Amino acid sequence: MVLANLIIILLVGGIVAWLCEQISEHLPKWIAALSLIFSLFPLRSILFDILFDQGSNTHTPWIIDEISPWIPRFNINFHLALDGLSLLLVLLTLSMGLIAVMTAWKEIKQRTGFFYFNLLWSLAGVIGVFLALDLFLFFVFWEVMLVPIYLLIAIWGYENKRYAAMKFFLFTQAGGLLMLLSISALVLIHYQQTGILTFDYLGLLNHQLPEQAAYWVMLGFFIAFAIKLPIVPFHNWLPDAHTQAPTAVSVILAAVLLKTGGYGLIRFVLPLFPEASLEIAPYVMAIAGFSIIYGALMAYAQQDLKRLVAYSSVSHMGFVLLGCYAMTSQAWHGAVIQMLAHGVSTSALFALVGAIQYRYHTRDLNKLGGLWQTIPKLSAVGLFFVVASLGMPGLGNFVGEFLVLVGSFSTYPKFTILAASGLILAAIYSLAIAQKTFFGPLKLGQAIDLDRREMVMMMSMAILLIWMGLHPQPLIDLAQQTLNQFPQSLSSPSQLPLGVHQ
Amino acid sequence: MNAAMGYALLPWIIISSTALIVMLFTAIKRDHQYISLMSSLGLFIALIVQVMQISAIEYQSELVIIDGTTSLLSAVLIFVSLLLSLLLYPWLESINDPKEEYYILFLLATQGGLIVCASNHFGSFFLGLELMSLSLVPMVAYADNNAKALEAGIKYLVLSAIASAFMLMAIAIIYFYSGTLEIQKVVEQLATLSSSNNTLYSVAIIFLLVGVAFKLSLAPCHLWVADLFEGAPLPTAALLATLSKAAIMIVLIRLFSTGEWHNQAHIITIISVIAAASMIIGNFLALLQKNILRLLAFSSIAHFGYILLAILAIKPKLPLTHSTTLANEAAIYYLLAYLVTVVGTFSILILLSNNKEMQPPTTFTIEKLRGLFWVKPFTSIVLTLLFLSLTGIPLTVGFIGKFYLTLAAVNGQLWWLLAALIIGSIAGLFYYLRMILIMMEKRKEDAESMTISHPIAGHFVLGVVTLLVIGLGILPGRLASFIEGLIS
């Protein structure tokens, strides 16, 4: 029950936080932070294993595998399992959840109990998504996490919150329904061919669908994940949702929610439909390249700092898509690292924008400027994360983008060259942030610099990024556990996987 | 009348006797409190008997069929009536008209619904239908000479008479052809007919469908439903949305449960068009409604379109699973989910309206819900859950219903209808989210205070409904296996 406990701690924490609002409005945030820290407790033995005794559990892909019956009518089980990739993303979720609680510490003053309730429940849903191995259970978590996030944006958001929240929900729900159809079709075709009715990922994994059917079923999953990621024709909800959401929720959206899309591609689309994925790979690579450049160009055109960071997310997540469909080990490693690094660096940028907005009540690039003169600590930290976001070697984002590009070049050189130009555009919009906010003449008044809480928060994220940039091998090893299970037909055998020492 | 029959029909006997006793009491001495209690008690006893019968009794005669499915659905219908009957007292106490008659009509309508639900013969079907409809007509117009209510009453009377006329004509032609009025036999005969040379027979089926579509307010025949929901007193509207529609839907499910209709291609086409039109038109009409009753009316059109989808998925030879049970289960589960959720929604609306607002024209606007969450958190959370259940978000019973539906429709390979389902669902999501959002908004300073009328019964009803919606949403396993057992 280790994994179920992980989710239950967050759910119970959420309810307790809500109830404690009656006692004091400061209590909920402490409860939220504590329950996030406590939720690491069930994972303690695994973390110790990995930190001090590397390689002891590589013989099985699943570090923990828990299964109990749920709906016997359809042979649906409450099946949670943890492998390298899910472990990385669960840790990212918990740590960024903690960051989100810290950013909300002073910003959220109204109805704190209900706010932290929604925050913890959405994190519980996301963790469920990363752990569920039963397709029905996966879908349940996928949909359930939307409701608290919808409420977070709609109640605590900025000026245009209702529109943004509605758009966010409708886009993801449309994808969700398509995925539900695909899940149904996949399960029924499997039943028709084998006589076994199962929603279990492992049961469906080694089954080949008829070609035509596989293509359509795959497309349903792909669109659902592409909306979440988001990829250009479906990215429309993201800038609005990010801009209107309170800082903590922007952090959650950027750090965790977008990753569910990338996770879905790596966990479900590629292994379940290898042939169909190979078939659409060239088109997807083209879309990914376009996404990278379009996101970067749009980012540069923004006046609203938060919107700019949101569009840069579109560009960065294009690299994840590029990495997923390049069909080489390096590119997949790169996609995973890029997800983690983007999660940290973009969260940090949103936290910074939140800190600026908290001080100056504006996010308009034209009104900001010269902040270095009055709040040097914030500006210095800001410069660090801006540079991280543009892909400076030595920081996490560089490793991710570099691996993606190296991995993709061998299979799709043209699209890779296209995508690489996105790095230059990234430098342009990133430096524009630095130039327009931190340097130049001071346009606004004095303000208080980062306090100790904010410093701790920013520093921990900076350390994470530096660690990812200098020593990414443990992360690659963990991700490799998951990639080892990919069907042989997916990757060309000539290429040696980067992180395997056997 | 032998013992087995007597036992099988015991719930009907209890409800009818309750109606008779209430009538006699009303004739002797009018005592509202007493009569209200007696009606609820009668329904409660009937519910217990019906629940005990669910898997214990199998009874079939020429006129009625009482098997597991019928018993289960009858139990749910009685449950719906019972919940609503608990909420009637404060409203009826406040009106000037005689109050006690409403209970008689209420019980008779329930009885009619149960007969329709168990009918195995066009004769019993029609009698039950008329008993239900004719009891509902005065219930619609049951309000202090209010013009709007009278208009709604007349509308319902005329339209339901037209629908009945269509059905009678259809039944006559069917009898002329097949020489029998037993539903099972008619369906069996239909299977052997080839569709090309039976124009008259097809006309009969189409007439029957027109009648059914009127009663269920499916797409081309849906125009009356919003005016009626708005014009009728709230409890009557609740009964119209649940009992009267569900009873007819059950007969439709029974008609189609063997899947032999798939020989009649044009009839399947007509039903498919009705289903798609209902899903899309219903949801889009509801999109920008300001009055919650109108919104729920249009939404119910869409919901019955969804159930038609499950009915269409009942095919004798399925490409995927070779079994008709899944689609049958889907239709029944969705119907159960709909009944529980909608009766819950109406209960909350009844609880939130003060007595004057219960009188038609019911101006229960969405605006009235503004800020409810911060004043009445429990009620508002339950209402949010119910709305989420109606849109089919997981952890509610509505989601399990929608999951069944998708699985059945994919199994039947109804791709175009599934596209309509998705478009309709997204539109549906929009207006339910809008209402949820309004509940979470800041309350206006000058807003009148919200009180729950009838707190004890009200909170009891809310508790039961929440338990069902969440319980069946999180742990649907038992019920799913149970329904599967009933059908196969």
Side-chain angles (χ1 to χ4, degrees):
Chain A
M1 288 296 285
V2 175
L3 301 177
N5 282 340
L6 184 65
I7 296 172
I8 290 169
I9 288 174
L10 292 179
L11 294 180
V12 173
I15 295 173
V16 174
W18 192 359
L19 294 176
C20 284
E21 191 187 18
Q22 306 282 337
I23 303 169
S24 153
E25 63 176 29
H26 295 295
L27 213 48
K29 56 191 178 195
W30 285 103
I31 290 167
L34 281 181
S35 44
L36 280 165
I37 293 167
F38 267 120
S39 54
L40 284 171
F41 189 67
L43 294 173
R44 64 192 181 284
S45 59
I46 305 152
L47 291 176
F48 279 126
D49 274 2
I50 288 165
L51 284 176
F52 302 115
D53 184 23
Q54 282 182 4
S56 67
N57 45 24
T58 44
H59 51 277
T60 164
W62 305 104
I63 305 169
I64 310 175
D65 194 349
E66 292 170 357
I67 189 163
S68 52
W70 186 16
I71 307 175
R73 165 70 184 88
F74 297 110
N75 198 10
I76 290 170
N77 296 307
F78 196 81
H79 188 180
L80 300 176
L82 185 82
D83 68 349
L85 179 65
S86 353
L87 179 64
L88 288 177
L89 289 168
V90 166
L91 290 178
L92 178 76
T93 309
L94 291 176
S95 49
M96 289 304 122
L98 212 51
I99 299 286
V101 171
M102 289 169 87
T103 55
W105 208 260
K106 283 188 180 163
E107 195 185 302
I108 302 297
K109 296 199 183 81
Q110 288 183 322
R111 302 158 191 161
T112 49
F114 194 50
F115 179 85
Y116 289 104
F117 166 80
N118 280 317
L119 196 71
L120 288 180
W121 275 55
S122 61
L123 290 175
V126 173
I127 288 182
V129 165
F130 290 143
L131 295 178
L133 273 200
D134 188 285
L135 286 181
F136 182 82
L137 184 65
F138 173 77
F139 183 79
V140 166
F141 280 124
W142 180 267
E143 295 274 283
V144 161
M145 69 181 176
L146 297 182
V147 181
I149 291 183
Y150 168 78
L151 293 178
L152 285 172
I153 300 176
I155 299 177
W156 290 273
Y158 295 118
E159 53 285 344
N160 206 4
K161 55 194 179 185
R162 292 177 61 175
Y163 169 76
M166 187 70 88
K167 203 165 167 183
F168 162 72
F169 206 130
L170 291 183
F171 263 76
T172 19
Q173 180 71 10
L177 284 172
L178 283 178
M179 183 159 74
L180 184 61
L181 289 192
S182 280
I183 292 176
S184 305
L186 176 65
V187 167
L188 287 170
I189 294 172
H190 180 260
Y191 177 66
Q192 180 197 23
Q193 294 185 336
T194 62
I196 304 165
L197 183 68
T198 179
F199 281 78
D200 198 273
Y201 173 72
L202 300 174
L204 297 165
L205 191 57
N206 295 315
H207 175 71
Q208 286 303 311
L209 294 181
E211 201 179 328
Q212 189 71 17
Y215 182 74
W216 289 107
V217 173
M218 184 275 300
L219 217 55
F221 279 96
F222 178 78
I223 291 175
F225 296 138
I227 289 174
K228 261 291 168 46
L229 202 50
I231 293 310
V232 158
F234 312 113
H235 71 291
N236 207 286
W237 61 272
L238 181 96
D240 289 310
H242 266 315
T243 315
Q244 300 305 326
T247 311
V249 181
S250 296
V251 168
I252 300 271
L253 279 172
V256 193
L257 208 74
L258 306 190
K259 305 306 172 289
T260 59
Y263 170 82
L265 289 176
I266 295 179
R267 170 74 77 216
F268 294 105
V269 176
L270 294 177
L272 283 174
F273 316 103
E275 270 91 32
S277 301
L278 276 174
E279 199 180 316
I280 64 158
Y283 306 104
V284 176
M285 295 297 274
I287 297 173
F290 181 69
S291 219
I292 291 169
I293 291 176
Y294 177 82
L297 290 175
M298 286 302 281
Y300 184 67
Q302 300 306 314
Q303 290 306 317
D304 183 330
L305 195 50
K306 224 173 171 185
R307 233 178 148 79
L308 194 161
V309 180
Y311 271 109
S312 83
S313 269
V314 176
S315 178
H316 284 142
M317 295 315 279
F319 279 103
V320 174
L321 188 69
L322 197 77
C324 287
Y325 277 82
M327 307 295 174
T328 63
S329 292
Q330 289 103 318
W332 287 326
H333 293 148
V336 174
I337 304 278
Q338 173 74 0
M339 289 207 286
L340 300 173
H342 169 266
V344 177
S345 68
T346 310
S347 301
L349 284 178
F350 276 123
L352 273 169
V353 178
I356 293 173
Q357 167 137 23
Y358 182 73
R359 287 166 172 76
Y360 289 110
H361 306 288
T362 180
R363 311 183 297 261
D364 193 334
L365 276 177
N366 292 331
K367 291 184 188 157
L368 294 167
L371 295 188
W372 203 294
Q373 297 164 28
T374 161
I375 39 176
K377 282 190 211 163
L378 187 148
S379 309
V381 172
L383 193 62
F384 175 84
F385 287 112
V386 163
V387 167
S389 156
L390 69 79
M392 178 69 85
L395 299 176
N397 302 54
F398 170 74
V399 179
E401 281 161 18
F402 178 74
L403 282 176
V404 167
L405 292 175
V406 167
S408 314
F409 190 75
S410 55
T411 41
Y412 296 98
K414 282 178 199 156
F415 297 130
T416 312
I417 293 167
L418 191 72
S421 68
L423 284 179
I424 299 164
L425 294 172
I428 294 176
Y429 68 72
S430 299
L431 292 177
I433 302 179
Q435 187 69 38
K436 286 186 183 165
T437 44
F438 305 134
F439 302 114
L442 182 63
K443 293 179 192 163
L444 294 158
Q446 301 286 320
I448 309 157
D449 211 345
L450 292 181
D451 60 16
R452 203 179 302 154
R453 165 184 64 91
E454 289 170 311
M455 251 349 235
V456 168
M457 186 171 92
M458 295 295 175
M459 280 304 143
S460 49
M461 285 193 276
I463 291 167
L464 271 178
L465 275 181
I466 294 173
W467 180 53
M468 277 184 216
L470 296 181
H471 189 47
Q473 192 60 41
L475 307 178
I476 293 178
D477 286 341
L478 276 174
Q480 184 60 37
Q481 284 185 16
T482 307
L483 302 179
N484 279 337
Q485 299 173 73
F486 273 21
Q488 286 300 313
S489 50
L490 258 181
S491 58
S492 42
S494 63
Q495 277 141 354
L496 267 177
L498 194 68
V500 183
H501 300 301
Q502 287 94 328
Chain B
M1 181 154 135
N2 55 33
M5 182 179 168
Y7 185 53
L9 300 183
L10 195 54
W12 296 11
I13 297 170
I14 294 169
I15 292 175
S16 313
S17 341
T18 314
L20 278 178
I21 295 170
V22 167
M23 192 167 74
L24 287 176
F25 256 87
T26 313
I28 298 165
K29 183 176 188 302
R30 285 177 181 274
D31 184 342
H32 184 199
Q33 204 165 3
Y34 199 57
I35 279 172
S36 161
L37 204 66
M38 202 150 53
S39 318
S40 299
L41 197 66
L43 284 168
F44 182 66
I45 297 170
L47 178 64
I48 288 177
V49 174
Q50 188 75 65
V51 167
M52 277 168 27
Q53 284 185 357
I54 284 179
S55 48
I57 217 154
E58 287 275 335
Y59 171 77
Q60 188 167 3
S61 74
E62 245 180 51
L63 288 175
V64 294
I65 174 168
I66 294 182
D67 53 8
T69 323
T70 317
S71 304
L72 176 69
L73 290 166
S74 306
V76 176
L77 290 185
I78 298 175
F79 170 76
V80 165
S81 293
L82 175 62
L83 282 193
L84 288 176
S85 78
L86 290 176
L87 304 172
L88 288 176
Y89 183 78
W91 164 59
L92 282 172
E93 189 59 31
S94 73
I95 64 172
N96 299 325
D97 276 344
K99 314 156 183 24
E100 289 77 6
E101 281 79 352
Y102 194 86
Y103 292 95
I104 304 171
L105 295 168
F106 189 87
L107 289 165
L108 286 177
T110 310
Q111 176 64 64
L114 293 179
I115 294 173
V116 172
C117 168
S119 60
N120 189 29
H121 189 281
F122 279 115
S124 51
F125 169 69
F126 193 76
L127 281 179
L129 191 67
E130 287 306 295
L131 180 58
M132 182 169 70
S133 306
L134 290 178
S135 312
L136 279 170
V137 172
M139 283 169 78
V140 170
Y142 206 92
D144 297 341
N145 297 324
N146 181 300
K148 194 93 177 178
L150 284 176
E151 182 200 324
I154 299 234
K155 247 180 197 163
Y156 188 60
L157 179 67
V158 171
L159 286 175
S160 105
I162 292 173
S164 298
F166 267 109
M167 277 196 225
L168 265 187
M169 190 66 204
I171 292 170
I173 301 173
I174 288 172
Y175 185 68
F176 166 68
Y177 251 89
S178 55
T180 178
L181 284 178
E182 278 179 68
I183 291 179
Q184 296 300 341
K185 284 187 185 161
V186 171
V187 173
E188 279 163 28
Q189 284 201 353
L190 193 75
T192 59
L193 282 175
S194 67
S195 53
S196 53
N197 53 1
N198 278 291
T199 326
L200 200 56
Y201 209 93
S202 303
V203 168
I205 304 291
I206 290 166
F207 276 8
L208 194 64
L209 283 178
V210 168
V212 168
F214 256 116
K215 296 281 181 184
L216 289 178
S217 71
L218 289 166
C221 319
H222 64 278
L223 295 168
W224 56 276
V225 69
D227 293 340
L228 205 60
F229 274 41
E230 195 185 8
L234 258 172
T236 311
L239 217 55
L240 278 171
T242 52
L243 179 86
S244 109
K245 287 191 172 191
I248 295 164
M249 201 67 202
I250 293 163
V251 176
L252 210 58
I253 295 173
R254 183 169 305 128
L255 270 178
F256 281 80
S257 63
T258 51
E260 273 149 0
W261 290 71
H262 275 263
N263 297 341
Q264 315 287 325
H266 53 285
I267 290 173
I268 295 300
T269 315
I270 291 172
I271 300 178
S272 305
V273 171
I274 292 178
S278 302
M279 286 188 260
I280 289 181
I281 292 178
N283 275 320
F284 277 85
L285 282 178
L287 212 52
L288 294 175
Q289 291 297 329
K290 290 203 172 65
N291 186 322
I292 293 186
L293 270 306
R294 292 187 81 84
L295 190 148
L296 285 176
F298 289 126
S299 166
S300 84
I301 299 173
H303 280 286
F304 280 91
Y306 298 155
I307 303 179
L308 274 191
L309 189 64
I311 286 180
L312 285 164
I314 305 174
K315 294 179 181 175
K317 267 205 177 314
L318 278 171
L320 293 176
T321 55
H322 302 289
S323 109
T324 56
T325 59
L326 177 64
N328 267 315
E329 287 169 54
I332 289 172
Y333 204 105
Y334 198 92
L335 194 59
L336 290 184
Y338 170 84
L339 283 175
V340 171
T341 315
V342 167
V343 80
T345 314
F346 270 101
S347 309
I348 290 186
L349 296 188
I350 293 174
L351 287 173
L352 287 179
S353 351
N354 53 38
N355 293 325
K356 219 169 78 195
E357 283 167 335
M358 297 271 276
Q359 294 297 354
T362 329
T363 49
F364 204 119
T365 55
I366 293 178
E367 212 41 45
K368 192 164 183 291
L369 291 177
R370 184 178 291 278
L372 185 68
F373 184 75
W374 313 110
V375 204
K376 292 244 166 288
F378 177 62
T379 314
S380 145
I381 289 168
V382 177
L383 197 54
T384 306
L385 285 173
L386 292 169
F387 287 154
L388 290 178
S389 176
L390 285 171
T391 48
I393 299 291
L395 302 189
T396 58
V397 66
F399 167 68
I400 306 290
K402 192 157 266 177
F403 168 69
Y404 256 109
L405 215 62
T406 333
L407 209 59
V410 169
N411 194 19
Q413 302 198 326
L414 308 166
W415 304 119
W416 290 111
L417 289 170
L418 276 169
L421 172 80
I422 289 184
I423 295 169
S425 290
I426 299 290
L429 189 64
F430 176 81
Y431 57 80
Y432 284 118
L433 281 183
R434 200 161 59 102
M435 287 199 282
I436 293 174
L437 208 58
I438 278 191
M439 283 197 279
M440 305 276 168
E441 298 246 309
K442 277 212 184 71
R443 221 170 145 65
K444 278 185 191 147
E445 294 299 318
D446 56 338
E448 51 186 310
S449 65
M450 281 269 187
T451 45
I452 295 260
S453 52
H454 208 356
I456 302 166
H459 283 117
F460 171 74
V461 170
L462 285 193
V464 170
V465 165
T466 320
L467 217 61
L468 277 175
V469 168
I470 293 294
L472 292 178
I474 295 178
L475 299 169
R478 289 282 293 278
L479 183 61
S481 306
F482 183 69
I483 292 178
E484 188 195 15
L486 288 181
I487 288 183
S488 51

